[in-house]
Amino acid sequence: MIEATNLGKRYGALEAVKGVSFGIQAGEVVGLLGPNGAGKTTIMKILTCFMYPSYGTATLNGCDVFTDPLAIKGMLGYLPENAPLYTDLNVMEYLDFIADARGLVGSHKAQRIGEVIGECGLEPVVYRGINTLSKGFRQRTGLAQAIVHNPQILILDEPTSGLDPNQIIEIRQLIKRLGQEKTVILSTHILQEVEATCNRVLILNEGRIVAQGTTEQINRELRGEVILAVTVTGGRQPGSTLAGLSGVREVLKNEPAGVKPGREAGANRFQLNLSVDPDSGVEERLFDWAVAEGYRIVALVPQRLSLEELFIKLTREGGANAQ
Amino acid sequence: MLNNILPVIRKELRSYFNSPIAYVVTVTFVLFCSIWVFYLQTFFAANTASLRSLFGIVPLTFIIIMPAITMRSWAEEKKMGTMEVLLTLPFRESTLVLGKFLAAALLLLIMVGLTLPLPLLLARFGDFDWGEVVGQYIGVLLLGCAGISVGLFVSSLATNQVSSFLVSLFVLLVFTLISQVNLVFSLPILLARVFSYLALGAHFNNFQKGLVDTRDLLFYVLVCALFLYLNVKTLVFKKW
């Protein structure tokens, strides 16, 4: 459905996208994951025919971005980054303009506008000026704009940025629902977002795809390593017995934890960061170890790799390609 | 190509009239015209049933009015990021440019239309040559359209409203008054001819007298076509 071949984009001396190739099947929900400046937005701008690639090409449904931009624009819905809107219109006027531009007419137009207002929860602000809307309503208006013509392909640039946790959940559910019948590409720099909404991920860094695969594949890749952050209290610093526990691969950190204000002094706290085998029951053995050695565990937090750590891992391993 | 131009025009007009700009510009223009005719040109004392004095000042007011109307059209879209929405809707670049142009031209029509009460009321006191008045109004609209197309083009290059306003004001100032250079310096005859041909203001002289000369008419149409074409090319060029 969407085919990108050796896609590249230069802005002057900066090469934002460096020869990216990928294919996306109809009905997939694909996440572009990467830190800021990885090239996610640029790829989306090329796919939506907002700008030409410097080299390479892309086709959507067989239409080329160079020769057939009108056909592509017609089948797309696009939510640009930060959901730009016409602030001197109200929500209804804005959706009316978009629906007109998308070629919706008559009762079908009125019906679709009504539907997206419901789907995106815009009822309370229909006749309010867009300049008075909160960030959450603006984002939802932008989303309503993108889906009003029921497009086959939906391209969403950071659809949940700047929203509060409740709104994020709502938007993710909406995207999931839309993803059941549409091809969706969304970009984000939040790992959990991809897991929550996408069935496939392209991980980008510095303009290149460093890994791609289904969310399960990426997850499994990440599961290779789990870090436990453990805080214990006890008389002395934990010794070498810790490293001998089966399931513990490496003691990354073993040092006295700072005494926080308000905590009773005297109780010696130690912060341990352990690299462990996943699903090996190491937590239980750790508990037994603490009892045997006279420590008390006050906190045990499994830590996930942050996006930065994930990139370091993926790029170090030579762009391990899960596909 | 023209089947989906109406939404663009409607949206532009909504933007004009939802913000103060349309009202401020219109009121200023009509007020200034009235003050000019009755107070500064002492219309009744002159005792001539003609609006030539009014139409003599219009090219100068348009130097300020046209940039004010067009300054936001592209510059604001770029600044707010709505350019991304607009250019990813299924419009041709030419449809967008023409839509914005026609919306501004409609605003011009309303603005100029609001000066009509002047001749209509004054007709009671004197015998106006209505052919002259019609010619004058045609000229004003053409001159305004030329100003709009220049302003739109400048706006498509600018990154914010203020620079768009100042640059198109400068361009219009130069192109309206360029023929005046001939009055001050004695230039080679060819250069002098080029200057007076290019002057937006000089082509208005016949219209001011109520004469519709096809050469002047063609000149304004060509100016519009040229700058609208350049505007479309700018949009396409920016995709690279």
Side-chain angles (χ1 to χ4, degrees):
Chain A
M1 182 131 200
I2 299 171
E3 212 53 65
T5 334
N6 191 30
L7 213 56
K9 180 74 190 176
R10 289 186 209 96
Y11 300 109
L14 176 79
E15 198 171 356
V17 178
K18 303 165 182 162
V20 166
S21 299
F22 57 86
I24 292 169
Q25 303 301 313
E28 276 190 302
V29 180
V30 176
L32 297 184
L33 182 65
N36 294 328
K40 309 183 294 280
T41 299
T42 303
I43 289 177
M44 293 188 152
K45 283 181 177 172
I46 293 172
L47 293 181
T48 52
C49 300
F50 179 69
M51 51 169 64
Y52 294 124
S54 302
Y55 55 88
T57 191
T59 59
L60 288 88
N61 246 355
C63 302
D64 192 282
V65 289
F66 283 104
T67 56
D68 224 350
L70 268 190
I72 294 179
K73 289 176 190 177
M75 64 177 114
L76 281 182
Y78 177 39
L79 171 67
E81 200 170 6
N82 302 324
L85 305 164
Y86 290 104
T87 46
D88 40 18
L89 302 181
N90 69 34
V91 174
M92 195 61 179
E93 287 172 337
Y94 181 62
L95 292 178
D96 186 60
F97 164 61
I98 300 290
D100 281 338
R102 293 292 184 184
L104 304 182
V105 283
S107 62
H108 179 58
K109 176 176 116 180
Q111 184 203 340
R112 275 304 296 163
I113 291 179
E115 279 172 20
V116 292
I117 284 173
E119 276 179 45
C120 299
L122 289 170
E123 294 94 342
V125 296
V126 173
Y127 293 105
R128 268 192 28 206
I130 287 173
N131 53 349
T132 67
L133 295 186
S134 66
K135 174 82 187 158
F137 276 122
R138 282 183 189 219
Q139 198 76 23
R140 284 194 249 176
T141 309
L143 200 58
Q145 167 270 130
I147 61 177
V148 70
H149 55 302
N150 216 348
Q152 309 167 41
I153 303 172
L154 203 52
I155 296 186
L156 311 170
D157 200 349
E158 307 209 350
T160 59
S161 75
L163 300 181
D164 68 36
N166 283 333
Q167 294 167 333
I168 289 180
I169 291 169
E170 278 173 36
I171 294 287
R172 281 181 188 167
Q173 278 167 348
L174 180 58
I175 294 171
K176 259 187 173 169
R177 206 160 61 235
L178 292 168
Q180 287 167 358
E181 48 196 49
K182 296 182 201 307
T183 310
V184 182
I185 307 179
L186 63 90
S187 78
T188 176
H189 52 256
I190 306 162
L191 205 53
Q192 286 84 345
E193 183 135 308
V194 169
E195 288 174 354
T197 48
C198 303
N199 39 41
R200 204 152 70 82
V201 201
L202 301 176
I203 301 183
L204 291 157
N205 195 25
E206 291 175 359
R208 289 200 173 84
I209 295 182
V210 291
Q212 57 176 311
T214 62
T215 4
E216 288 80 37
Q217 283 170 319
I218 296 286
N219 245 333
R220 211 176 308 136
E221 189 118 329
L222 299 183
R223 280 255 185 72
E225 188 170 25
V226 171
I227 312 278
L228 291 180
V230 189
T231 313
V232 298
T233 57
R236 61 202 153 74
Q237 189 145 355
S240 56
T241 48
L242 193 55
L245 281 175
S246 91
V248 175
R249 290 185 190 173
E250 197 184 348
V251 180
L252 301 171
K253 186 174 169 189
N254 178 0
E255 56 191 39
V259 177
K260 287 184 186 160
R263 289 248 171 80
E264 65 177 288
N268 290 321
R269 300 165 74 85
F270 298 96
Q271 182 65 44
L272 310 168
N273 282 5
L274 309 173
S275 165
V276 300
D277 291 330
D279 307 324
S280 62
V282 71
E283 292 89 347
E284 289 164 12
R285 284 195 292 282
L286 207 55
F287 182 79
D288 295 336
W289 163 84
V291 172
E293 299 270 324
Y295 293 104
R296 273 178 287 187
I297 295 178
V298 293
L300 191 156
V301 187
Q303 290 190 329
R304 312 190 60 142
L305 288 179
S306 69
L307 195 55
E308 290 70 32
E309 289 164 324
L310 168 68
F311 283 119
I312 293 164
K313 195 163 138 58
L314 286 170
T315 42
R316 197 177 49 204
E317 287 163 13
N321 212 320
Q323 203 176 40
Chain B
M1 173 192 146
L2 294 175
N3 56 346
N4 58 358
I5 201 169
L6 280 177
V8 184
I9 297 176
R10 197 154 52 224
K11 175 229 136 205
E12 287 295 315
L13 284 177
R14 272 175 177 162
S15 285
Y16 277 130
F17 286 101
N18 282 4
S19 70
I21 187 89
Y23 304 100
V24 171
V25 167
T26 310
V27 169
T28 311
F29 179 72
V30 175
L31 210 62
F32 178 80
C33 285
S34 307
I35 292 173
W36 176 259
V37 169
F38 293 114
Y39 188 70
L40 297 173
Q41 292 288 313
T42 55
F43 178 80
F44 289 111
N47 206 16
T48 309
S50 164
L51 288 174
R52 261 185 221 190
S53 60
L54 166 64
F55 289 104
I57 195 67
V58 161
L60 290 182
T61 62
F62 276 11
I63 292 176
I64 298 175
I65 299 260
M66 292 306 132
I69 291 180
T70 54
M71 62 181 181
R72 20 185 300 136
S73 52
W74 293 114
E76 188 71 356
E77 301 255 12
K78 277 185 273 183
K79 189 150 170 262
M80 300 298 292
T82 45
M83 197 79 154
E84 247 179 278
V85 176
L86 196 61
L87 289 184
T88 53
L89 289 170
F91 290 121
R92 282 175 206 282
E93 282 81 3
S94 48
T95 308
L96 292 173
V97 171
L98 212 55
K100 278 181 184 280
F101 172 76
L102 289 177
L106 277 172
L107 181 60
L108 170 76
L109 192 67
I110 293 168
M111 195 175 77
V112 172
L114 284 175
T115 64
L116 274 176
L118 272 175
L120 292 180
L121 287 173
L122 293 173
R124 297 183 47 170
F125 303 109
D127 196 10
F128 276 91
D129 177 352
W130 290 105
E132 181 187 314
V133 174
V134 170
Q136 286 164 338
Y137 271 99
I138 292 175
V140 167
L141 292 177
L142 284 170
L143 179 73
C145 285
I148 289 170
S149 59
V150 172
L152 279 180
F153 171 62
V154 171
S155 184
S156 76
L157 298 174
T159 45
N160 66 62
Q161 294 187 37
V162 178
S163 63
S164 168
F165 176 78
L166 291 176
V167 172
S168 36
L169 189 138
F170 177 76
V171 172
L172 284 181
L173 188 71
V174 168
F175 274 96
T176 306
L177 299 177
I178 196 167
S179 57
Q180 308 290 323
V181 176
N182 298 336
L183 302 178
V184 184
F185 305 103
S186 89
L187 294 167
I189 187 77
L190 186 69
L191 197 62
R193 281 219 182 122
V194 169
F195 276 3
S196 47
Y197 185 74
L198 286 180
L200 281 171
H203 285 273
F204 189 69
N205 290 341
N206 282 333
F207 284 112
Q208 193 198 340
K209 296 172 204 148
L211 299 174
V212 182
D213 187 329
T214 41
R215 282 174 300 180
D216 297 329
L217 197 135
L218 195 67
F219 172 79
Y220 285 128
V221 171
L222 282 178
V223 169
C224 288
L226 173 70
F227 281 97
L228 293 179
Y229 174 78
L230 288 177
N231 198 339
V232 173
K233 286 294 153 195
T234 311
L235 291 189
V236 175
F237 181 74
K238 293 223 161 162
K239 284 181 83 175
W240 284 104

